[in-house]
Amino acid sequence: MNPEKHARPRLAPGCRLSEPNRAPRMLQMPERALRLNGPSLEIVERCDGRHTVQQIISELQKIYSKAEPERVEKDILGYLALLQEQQALEFTVEDAAEQK
Amino acid sequence: MTTTIPTPLALIAELTHRCPLHCVYCSNPLELQSRGLELSTEVWSRVLREAAEAGAMQVDFTGGEPLARPDLVELVRAARSAGLYVNMITSGLPLDERRLADLVNAGLDHLQLSFQGLQEDAASEIAGTRALEQKLQVVRWARAHRVALTLNFVIHRQNLDRLEEMIAFGEESGAGRLEFAHVQYYGWAFANRERLLPTRDQVERSILLLQQAEARLRGKVRVEYVAPDYYAKYPKACMGGWGHKLMLITPTGDVLPCHAAQVIPGLRFDNVKNKPLREIWDSSEAFQKFRGEDWMQEPCRSCDRRTQDFGGCRCQAFLLAGDPAVTDPVCTLTPRHLIVEEIIAAANAASPEVPAAKPDWLYRPNPA
């Protein structure tokens, strides 16, 4: 299932990016790790509890401006769903009144 | 053929052999090291840096009981500043909420809490002490401090019939990950094997239950299990291959390819007090001895599975067949599998409740 676009993902407890001075960059989780390349690293770096899913999509559409925007969006939603299945993410959703 | 030296992925740091529990299946060697011989904070801190420089991503602080080290918070901080993911494998004793908060603030990434079962009397019989109440408290603290938690249930003949209860508890505990580990027969577990080895019915039922739990809880709680290799068709890829991914450092600083390697006669280990870790990983006799495929005999040597299971476990080959260089007798492709078949036949001749010939447990002591 795809995450809501106004939700703000952040990494779950026990999940974090490996140190920037160590290559390759990894998303480390309890007893497993995911290797991150360009776009996946860009996504995970924005799972900070501040960016909404929509903001992540917009920022990556700018970075990868040569790619089709719909394709970028689909890939991001797919990757977030994968991270969610890995229990690597928590989503916070503010109620509408607070957003105004 | 030359064997290329791989990069280590993780360091298992056995900080101490001291432990308030006396588990009958403890993976520590029968000969335990005393406190006076343990590595200092300074040496461990250097070793953690060296492990990260050699390529390791993770450290598992274990023991014995790692909390028995008064400098554990300092070691967690040292591991984090070296760039390692910090995992602690613990009984939860002795821990209080303040110390857990200190560990989390120092950079502890993940806590793995062991359970002997959820029936106080039965769990105490296995652990040789009462610990269940404290463990339940640690689960609550871990949730309050938002530290990633794995519950590790060690399962065997005496508690397998209560597996549903463990799954149900784990599901509601708030832990993100549940690990069900069938006892592996090394160290103290090898000495107590007759009373720990399950029946075939128990094993088959447990695998089915765990598969169902894994599917049902996917996305909510991760369920992982370690199969009992005596009942397997092929051996486990022990440690992901000898000297291939993992290394273990004992409380006194010896560097081992696995928990049990000291049982293999004549194998010489280097010590971190005398050599840099990278040099030990690359060239110590113990790591080179069974690295790669050159040491393999038939049926491994010509077997397609040799790149998947690496011939199984060297320590098990020695413990069961008396020779660390033969195919793991767990493998059904070796004539030595008869050894395992006999053990399994004996385990299935007795009913699960009644222990066979051996009436008493051999408890692991707490070294001075």
Side-chain angles (χ1 to χ4, degrees), chain A residues 10-19 21-26 28-33 84-87 90, chain B residues 52 55-58 60 80 82-87 109-110 112 146-148 150 176-177 179 219-222:
Chain A
R10 65 169 174 178
L11 294 179
C15 302
R16 66 177 172 90
L17 275 163
S18 58
E19 303 299 332
N21 57 351
R22 304 200 61 186
R25 296 300 296 281
M26 311 281 278
Q28 295 186 275
M29 298 172 276
E31 301 303 320
R32 61 201 189 281
Q84 201 173 3
E85 199 189 272
Q86 295 272 323
Q87 294 172 240
E90 291 177 344
Chain B
M57 301 294 295
Q58 174 169 325
D60 295 326
R80 264 308 276 268
L84 296 167
Y85 184 91
V86 185
N87 183 26
D109 285 300
H110 175 223
Q112 186 169 321
R146 291 181 46 80
V147 58
T150 289
R177 190 167 164 275
E179 205 174 271
K220 184 184 168 212
V221 185
R222 271 183 96 86

Side-chain angles (χ1 to χ4, degrees), chain A residues 30-32 85-87, chain B residues 149-153 155 163 166-173 175-181 206-226:
Chain A
E31 301 303 320
R32 61 201 189 281
E85 199 189 272
Q86 295 272 323
Q87 294 172 240
Chain B
L149 177 69
T150 289
L151 306 187
N152 181 290
F153 291 93
I155 49 179
L163 188 54
M166 299 180 218
I167 295 168
F169 171 80
E171 187 177 342
E172 298 304 323
S173 68
R177 190 167 164 275
L178 306 177
E179 205 174 271
F180 294 89
S206 73
I207 300 292
L208 189 68
L209 281 172
L210 290 167
Q211 281 171 344
Q212 288 167 347
E214 192 277 321
R216 183 167 56 81
L217 298 175
R218 203 173 294 160
K220 184 184 168 212
V221 185
R222 271 183 96 86
V223 178
E224 290 173 25
Y225 56 92
V226 176

Side-chain angles (χ1 to χ4, degrees), chain B residues 8 29 41 54 63 70 85 105 147 176 188 227 251-252 287:
Chain B
T41 314
Y85 184 91
N105 288 334
V147 58
W188 299 86
T252 58
F287 279 85

Side-chain angles (χ1 to χ4, degrees), chain B residues 160-238:
Chain B
L160 264 173
D161 297 333
R162 295 199 167 266
L163 188 54
E164 287 102 324
E165 181 182 67
M166 299 180 218
I167 295 168
F169 171 80
E171 187 177 342
E172 298 304 323
S173 68
R177 190 167 164 275
L178 306 177
E179 205 174 271
F180 294 89
H182 272 276
V183 168
Q184 309 229 31
Y185 299 100
Y186 305 95
W188 299 86
F190 192 77
N192 287 305
R193 189 180 65 200
E194 261 182 279
R195 301 187 72 182
L196 292 168
L197 187 64
T199 64
R200 186 174 296 280
D201 283 350
Q202 283 183 309
V203 171
E204 285 173 0
R205 186 172 160 280
S206 73
I207 300 292
L208 189 68
L209 281 172
L210 290 167
Q211 281 171 344
Q212 288 167 347
E214 192 277 321
R216 183 167 56 81
L217 298 175
R218 203 173 294 160
K220 184 184 168 212
V221 185
R222 271 183 96 86
V223 178
E224 290 173 25
Y225 56 92
V226 176
D229 64 352
Y230 278 36
Y231 281 98
K233 191 171 175 192
Y234 302 116
K236 60 180 175 285
C238 198

Side-chain angles (χ1 to χ4, degrees), chain A residues 8-66:
Chain A
R8 297 171 201 271
R10 65 169 174 178
L11 294 179
C15 302
R16 66 177 172 90
L17 275 163
S18 58
E19 303 299 332
N21 57 351
R22 304 200 61 186
R25 296 300 296 281
M26 311 281 278
L27 175 58
Q28 295 186 275
M29 298 172 276
E31 301 303 320
R32 61 201 189 281
L34 273 181
R35 186 183 285 234
L36 303 173
N37 57 30
S40 56
L41 179 61
E42 301 283 357
I43 295 169
V44 172
E45 280 180 329
R46 286 167 176 77
C47 293
D48 54 6
R50 296 194 297 271
H51 290 74
T52 63
V53 172
Q54 183 56 57
Q55 285 167 334
I56 297 175
I57 292 169
S58 305
E59 290 185 17
L60 264 77
Q61 283 170 337
K62 281 188 201 119
I63 297 173
Y64 297 96
S65 57
K66 283 180 190 153

